[in-house]
């Protein structure tokens, strides 16, 4: 059939479809869907699509656990369910970007409460996130400083970002007012303000779905997390947090801490709600342990300084860095020591800070003192004052150490994990042991879940600071 006849036949068929009511409805629906998608992508930074992707991911993960996480499955199969869930969650966080990167990082630090695949898979989110070109961030800088362009504030502004995180990226530059001063310019990504409302709605809804599907009470922490994340997008607040941390260090820190830790200066003339300009500091991030080893830094010395720093914030000042993941800490040679190797930690990213109440700080210090002395009675008293009857599970959630299971589950675990001294003499015995191993592995995980649920059931007494102080302790 000639092309003109084919085209005519197709046009006739299309007209017949349009004349039908179902056809018109289908075309209208398809047009609306395409228009909605394009509007969401170009005008709302794909906020709706990202939210739907999050809902779908949680639904698929929930269905997988409900259908496949069963006692009769083998250990490897049960672990594969965790692996699939972690990979799906990682893919969702990476595809969505923005605050979802932070959500994934928050999950990755829960090493004591979640199966190992979650930490292993989601820890890659600490690496650099994709950056955007300078022409896309230029309007962010210009609206932060009306009537001024990038060249009015900076010289030698780097054409590529030197670092990129979930909500912002960093460029090097020199101040126009002081060309000898090299600075780090942190600029909020342009889509974040369009996405935050939808992202926090997705966080709240997904938390509710998880609570309903698995009967794990986690909504108690969502309000505090939302509030802190909104604060983190205000870079002027971050600048004030940074200066407060510097003053605390100078006024309250001992000589060793003042020498072992450095916090970069803020340049207020080039700082606004979406732009933060600080002193540039060269160093190696804790994200790169191999490079630290090649540079000859001692893990022991780094850890000593890090423990001293966060203990100082938690137990002395009460102004606590709430997001101290490895990408926010650098190690450099102390600039005042030209004769010997001396590491100095550089603490970055002060957007998320927690102000501890005096009561919480006292109780938290007492908890750690009791833990060091193995004073179980004191630990139980503190746990109960916060509405947690299970002191052992409370200890797990605060210290991020694996929980101590019941003696029966503990014996089952040892039996399942120990290797047989001699080969089984019969297939029946081997099959029985295999069933016991599967059951003990399943029972351990179910016991952990049951204890976590019981511990969080009465969450009204839990201090809101606990969420972020626990994150701080994780890096230690």
């Amino acid at each position: 059939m000639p092309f003109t006849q084919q085209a005519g036949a197709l046009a006739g068929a299309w007209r017949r479809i349009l004349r039908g009511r179902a056809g018109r409805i289908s075309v209208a629906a398809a047009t609306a869907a395409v228009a909605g998608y394009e509007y969401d992508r170009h005008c709302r930074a794909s906020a709706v699509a990202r939210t739907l992707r999050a809902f779908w991911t949680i639904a698929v993960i929930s269905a997988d656990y409900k259908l496949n996480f069963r006692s009769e499955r083998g250990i490897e199969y049960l672990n594969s369910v965790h692996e699939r869930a972690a990979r799906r969650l990682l893919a969702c966080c990476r595809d969505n970007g923005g605050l979802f990167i932070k959500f994934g990082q928050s999950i990755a630090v829960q090493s004591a409460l979640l199966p190992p695949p979650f930490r292993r898979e989601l820890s890659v989110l600490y690496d650099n996130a994709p950056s955007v070109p300078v022409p896309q961030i230029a309007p962010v800088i210009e609206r932060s400083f009306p009537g001024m362009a990038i060249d009015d504030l900076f010289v030698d502004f780097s054409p590529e970002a030197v670092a990129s995180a979930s909500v912002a990226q960093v460029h090097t530059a020199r101040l126009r007012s002081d060309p000898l001063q090299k600075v780090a310019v942190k600029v909020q990504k342009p889509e974040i303000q369009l996405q935050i409302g939808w992202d926090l709605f997705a966080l709240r809804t997904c938390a509710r779905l998880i609570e309903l599907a698995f009967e794990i009470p986690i909504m108690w922490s969502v309000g505090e997390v939302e509030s802190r994340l909104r604060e983190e997008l205000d870079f002027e607040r971050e600048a004030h947090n940074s200066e407060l941390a510097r003053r605390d260090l100078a006024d309250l820190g001992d000589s060793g801490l003042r020498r072992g830790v450095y916090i970069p200066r803020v340049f207020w003339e080039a700082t606004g709600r979406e732009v933060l300009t600080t002193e540039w500091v060269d160093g190696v991030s804790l994200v790169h342990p191999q490079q630290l080893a090649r540079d000859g830094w001692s893990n022991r010395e780094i850890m000593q300084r890090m423990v001293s720093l966060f203990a100082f914030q938690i137990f002395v000042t009460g102004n606590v860095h709430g997001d101290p993941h490895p990408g926010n800490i650098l190690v450099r040679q102390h600039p005042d020591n030209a004769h010997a190797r001396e590491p100095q930690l550089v603490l970055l990213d002060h957007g998320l800070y927690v102000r501890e109440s005096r009561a919480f700080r006292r109780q938290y210090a007492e908890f750690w003192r009791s833990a060091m002395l193995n004073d179980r009675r004191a630990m139980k008293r503190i746990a109960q004052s916060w509405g947690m009857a299970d002191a052992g599970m409370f200890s797990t959630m605060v210290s991020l150490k694996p929980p101590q299971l019941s003696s029966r589950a503990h014996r089952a675990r040892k039996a399942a994990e120990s290797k047989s001294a001699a080969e089984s003499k019969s297939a029946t015995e081997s099959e029985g042991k295999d069933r016991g191993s599967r059951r003990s592995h399943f029972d351990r995980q179910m016991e952990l879940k049951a204890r976590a649920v019981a511990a969080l059931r009465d969450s009204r007494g839990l201090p809101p600071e606990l969420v972020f102080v626990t994150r701080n302790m994780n890096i230690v």
Side-chain angles (χ1 to χ4, degrees), residues 26 46 100 103 116 177 191 226 256-257 293 311 322 324 345 355 369 375 377 393 411 413 431 435 462:
S26 299
S46 298
F100 280 86
F103 300 159
S177 58
E191 70 273 12
E226 284 187 11
L257 190 61
L345 300 188
R355 309 284 187 257
R369 178 181 177 277
D375 185 349
R377 180 177 298 177
M393 199 64 198
R411 289 194 303 269
R413 177 177 63 181
E431 183 181 350
R435 282 199 302 269
L462 287 175

Side-chain angles (χ1 to χ4, degrees), residues 424-471:
S424 299
K425 295 183 178 181
S426 69
T428 304
E429 291 178 359
S430 177
E431 183 181 350
K433 289 182 179 180
D434 186 54
R435 282 199 302 269
S437 176
R438 289 199 301 266
R439 170 62 66 176
S440 64
H441 186 76
F442 179 82
D443 287 346
R444 289 199 307 274
Q445 300 198 37
M446 289 298 100
E447 180 186 350
L448 177 58
K449 175 192 171 184
R451 291 179 63 184
V453 169
L456 292 173
R457 183 162 289 132
D458 187 6
S459 58
R460 291 168 295 179
L462 287 175
E465 303 100 318
L466 191 61
V467 178
F468 295 99
V469 172
T470 300
R471 287 187 64 185

Side-chain angles (χ1 to χ4, degrees), residues 171-245:
H171 294 256
T172 59
R174 298 184 185 276
L175 292 174
R176 173 67 66 181
S177 58
D178 182 7
L180 296 180
Q181 179 63 60
K182 187 176 182 180
V183 294
V185 185
K186 180 179 178 179
V187 185
Q188 196 170 117
K189 293 179 178 178
E191 70 273 12
I192 295 301
Q193 291 298 329
L194 295 172
Q195 295 172 344
I196 180 172
W198 283 93
D199 287 356
L200 294 180
F201 166 72
L203 167 66
R204 189 165 55 252
T205 306
C206 288
R208 177 65 71 186
L209 291 173
I210 292 171
E211 188 170 279
L212 293 174
F214 299 104
E215 301 177 342
I216 301 176
I218 58 176
M219 287 299 295
W220 66 274
S221 65
V222 171
E224 182 72 9
V225 171
E226 284 187 11
S227 175
R228 299 298 180 183
L229 288 175
R230 288 188 183 277
E231 290 178 0
E232 195 173 1
L233 298 183
D234 182 352
F235 289 177
E236 288 180 342
R237 178 184 288 271
E238 178 174 348
H240 285 296
N241 289 340
S242 178
E243 292 199 329
L244 176 60

Side-chain angles (χ1 to χ4, degrees), residues 396-414:
T396 289
M397 297 172 69
V398 173
S399 65
L400 298 176
K401 291 182 178 180
Q404 293 293 323
L405 302 178
S406 64
S407 58
R408 188 182 69 174
H410 182 71
R411 289 194 303 269
R413 177 177 63 181
K414 291 299 183 183

Side-chain angles (χ1 to χ4, degrees), residues 164-385:
S164 181
S166 54
V167 300
Q169 60 190 57
V170 177
H171 294 256
T172 59
R174 298 184 185 276
L175 292 174
R176 173 67 66 181
S177 58
D178 182 7
L180 296 180
Q181 179 63 60
K182 187 176 182 180
V183 294
V185 185
K186 180 179 178 179
V187 185
Q188 196 170 117
K189 293 179 178 178
E191 70 273 12
I192 295 301
Q193 291 298 329
L194 295 172
Q195 295 172 344
I196 180 172
W198 283 93
D199 287 356
L200 294 180
F201 166 72
L203 167 66
R204 189 165 55 252
T205 306
C206 288
R208 177 65 71 186
L209 291 173
I210 292 171
E211 188 170 279
L212 293 174
F214 299 104
E215 301 177 342
I216 301 176
I218 58 176
M219 287 299 295
W220 66 274
S221 65
V222 171
E224 182 72 9
V225 171
E226 284 187 11
S227 175
R228 299 298 180 183
L229 288 175
R230 288 188 183 277
E231 290 178 0
E232 195 173 1
L233 298 183
D234 182 352
F235 289 177
E236 288 180 342
R237 178 184 288 271
E238 178 174 348
H240 285 296
N241 289 340
S242 178
E243 292 199 329
L244 176 60
R246 280 176 62 89
R247 286 197 303 272
D248 284 344
L249 201 59
D251 297 342
L252 301 175
D254 59 33
S255 59
L257 190 61
R258 291 197 302 271
R259 187 170 180 84
V261 178
Y262 186 76
I263 297 173
R265 290 177 294 147
V266 174
F267 295 97
W268 282 99
E269 66 269 27
T271 292
R273 286 184 61 85
E274 296 176 271
V275 179
L276 172 65
T277 302
T278 64
E279 170 189 10
W280 173 263
V281 179
D282 284 309
V284 179
S285 168
L286 294 188
V287 171
H288 306 294
Q290 295 85 0
Q291 183 62 48
L292 291 170
R294 285 194 295 269
D295 290 347
W297 295 121
S298 163
N299 287 337
R300 182 182 180 85
E301 288 186 288
I302 293 172
M303 180 58 67
Q304 287 175 338
R305 285 161 173 76
M306 194 156 51
V307 170
S308 297
L309 168 62
F310 293 130
F312 170 71
Q313 289 192 333
I314 292 171
F315 300 119
V316 178
T317 72
N319 300 310
V320 183
H321 195 303
D323 192 22
H325 64 71
N328 288 338
I329 302 175
L330 306 179
V331 180
R332 69 168 180 174
Q333 168 65 26
H334 197 292
D336 296 335
N337 190 344
H339 306 291
R341 299 283 285 171
E342 180 183 355
Q344 185 180 60
L345 300 188
V346 181
L347 186 62
L348 308 175
D349 195 357
H350 301 266
L352 186 58
Y353 261 65
V354 179
R355 309 284 187 257
E356 295 175 330
S357 67
R358 290 195 176 192
F360 172 81
R361 201 186 332 164
R362 183 175 60 253
Q363 287 180 312
Y364 198 68
E366 187 178 353
F367 163 77
W368 280 104
R369 178 181 177 277
S370 304
M372 295 301 163
L373 297 176
N374 198 27
D375 185 349
R376 297 184 180 275
R377 180 177 298 177
M379 292 172 63
K380 184 176 182 180
R381 175 172 48 78
I382 297 169
Q384 289 177 342
S385 72

